[in-house]
Amino acid sequence: MDAKTLCLGVLALGDASGYEIKKQFEDGPFGQFHQVGFGSIYPALTALAAEGQVTFVEEAQEGRPDKKVYSITPAGLAALKRALRKPPAADRVRSEYLFILFFAEMLEPERRREVYESYLDTYRSRLAEMEEAADCHGEVQPGHRFVFHLGKAFYTTMVDFMENNRHLLFPEDTGRTDDRAAPLRRVAGGE
Amino acid sequence: MDAKTLCLGVLALGDASGYEIKKQFEDGPFGQFHQVGFGSIYPALTALAAEGQVTFVEEAQEGRPDKKVYSITPAGLAALKRALRKPPAADRVRSEYLFILFFAEMLEPERRREVYESYLDTYRSRLAEMEEAADCHGEVQPGHRFVFHLGKAFYTTMVDFMENNRHLLFPEDTGRTDDRAAPLRRVAGGE
DNA sequence: TCGATATATATCAAATCAATATATATCCCC
DNA sequence: GGGGATATATATTGATTTGATATATATCGA
């Protein structure tokens, strides 16, 4: 999905500024399955406006810079639907934490621990944010709910796995020297 | 991690050609946490060679094009170690499948099903490949084992979640209309 | 012969990323 | 007072990556 389609996706849910679109990819539901930067968003919005797929209204604000609020047009919605009918590319994951931990034997024990615990914290935070967001759920589309629960299952698995498998990288700390991963036990999702 | 570091990482495990480095990011362990294309690999190797961080030997082959086999130098290994000490960027996930499923209500039921089942198949395949690879394990570094088991836990969660939560997107097919996600039950990892 | 596959190296235009710039505000610390 | 941090805003640019393409050596099948 290119930046134009990603912007159309956010705007299909409601009008937004370029900055708010970026926020949707940081804290909103879209951040679970895509990232996109300002360097892509603004040129994409400019192109979409030129193509008649979005319109915008400039708004002045008190104590804040002016903003442009974009709206999707029927042509934009049609373009989004066309994009949803294309064959999707395979999922891609990029994790510098895992790259570093892959080379654990090259790291000082302190650095190994630092990276591991910091990594675990990132997923604990994400899970906590999700659990907060769950309390605000009103009327939600099935697709949104599916992605939410899947994301939560993923984060839960990450936290659970790392909490229970320190022995794989820190046998000296855990007193365990076996190299078998612990079974997953946590319950995930809505229940 | 830039392309140069990624190449150094592969070469730290043993000599390889540019093509073999790419293969490590497709079928090998690195593909679980990074992707990189030829457009980045070859320029990176050229730069690394110019910087003295790798050396290469040109080899002629029977029935195949000639190849360049690259080796990491001590300077390259030092550069890799420096990279491993930098603060890692946050994990990033890109999933066109999830983008499409997020907009499930915009899809025809047939398309929704097609995407869902195709998505489930991608993770089933990955899990199957992993289970095959597990049979070939010899002496493995702890970091490699950790990443392997974490990856397996992730793929297992994805398969399990999707097998048990069709009702979230297909209430008409499953006879279930509740919107709660099923608990995770599968056992992951080395057991 | 073409298309597909596999093994190889290499390149290029398009897209994205990361950083930067500018603007309007607030807060805190030195 | 200035700097740094934060937040809300738009915009741009150089560096890097991506996806496609090209070339080469082979095999296989329609």
Side-chain angles (χ1 to χ4, degrees), chain A residues 1 86 91 96 111 119, chain B residues 1 86 91 96 111 119:
Chain A
M1 303 300 172
K86 290 183 185 167
D91 285 8
E96 296 192 358
R111 171 64 175 164
Y119 193 38
Chain B
M1 301 298 169
K86 290 182 185 167
D91 285 8
E96 296 192 356
R111 172 64 175 164
Y119 193 38

Side-chain angles (χ1 to χ4, degrees), chain B residues 61-65:
Chain B
Q61 298 187 98
E62 292 281 349
R64 286 182 175 166

Side-chain angles (χ1 to χ4, degrees), chain A residues 95-109 111-112 115 169, chain B residues 1 4-14 24-25 29-30 33-34 72 76-77 80-85 141-147:
Chain A
S95 173
E96 296 192 358
Y97 280 97
L98 286 183
F99 184 84
I100 294 172
L101 291 173
F102 187 78
F103 293 102
E105 53 282 349
M106 281 193 199
L107 305 179
E108 301 289 342
R111 171 64 175 164
R112 203 186 326 153
V115 171
L169 288 184
Chain B
M1 301 298 169
K4 290 200 290 186
T5 305
L6 297 178
C7 290
L8 289 177
V10 174
L11 294 175
L13 303 188
Q24 286 288 330
F25 284 101
F30 289 88
F33 50 84
H34 260 291
I72 195 168
L77 195 58
L80 175 60
K81 286 179 177 176
R82 282 197 298 277
L84 296 178
R85 286 196 290 264
Q141 304 277 10
H144 305 184
R145 184 173 288 115
F146 173 78
V147 168

Side-chain angles (χ1 to χ4, degrees), chain B residues 93-107:
Chain B
V93 173
R94 197 164 85 184
S95 174
E96 296 192 356
Y97 280 98
L98 286 184
F99 185 83
I100 294 172
L101 291 173
F102 187 77
F103 293 103
E105 53 281 354
M106 282 194 197
L107 305 178

Side-chain angles (χ1 to χ4, degrees), chain A residues 24-40:
Chain A
Q24 286 287 331
F25 284 99
E26 285 168 4
D27 310 319
F30 291 87
Q32 286 179 54
F33 50 84
H34 261 292
Q35 287 79 41
V36 62
F38 286 128
S40 303

Side-chain angles (χ1 to χ4, degrees), chain A residues 13-15 32-33 39 55 65 72 91 103 107 114 118 131 141 155 158 166 168 171-172 179 187:
Chain A
L13 303 189
D15 299 349
Q32 286 179 54
F33 50 84
T55 56
I72 192 168
D91 285 8
F103 293 102
L107 305 179
E114 174 190 31
S118 165
E131 268 155 0
Q141 305 277 9
Y155 296 158
M158 293 296 287
R166 280 187 182 85
L168 293 178
E172 67 280 357
D179 56 19
V187 175

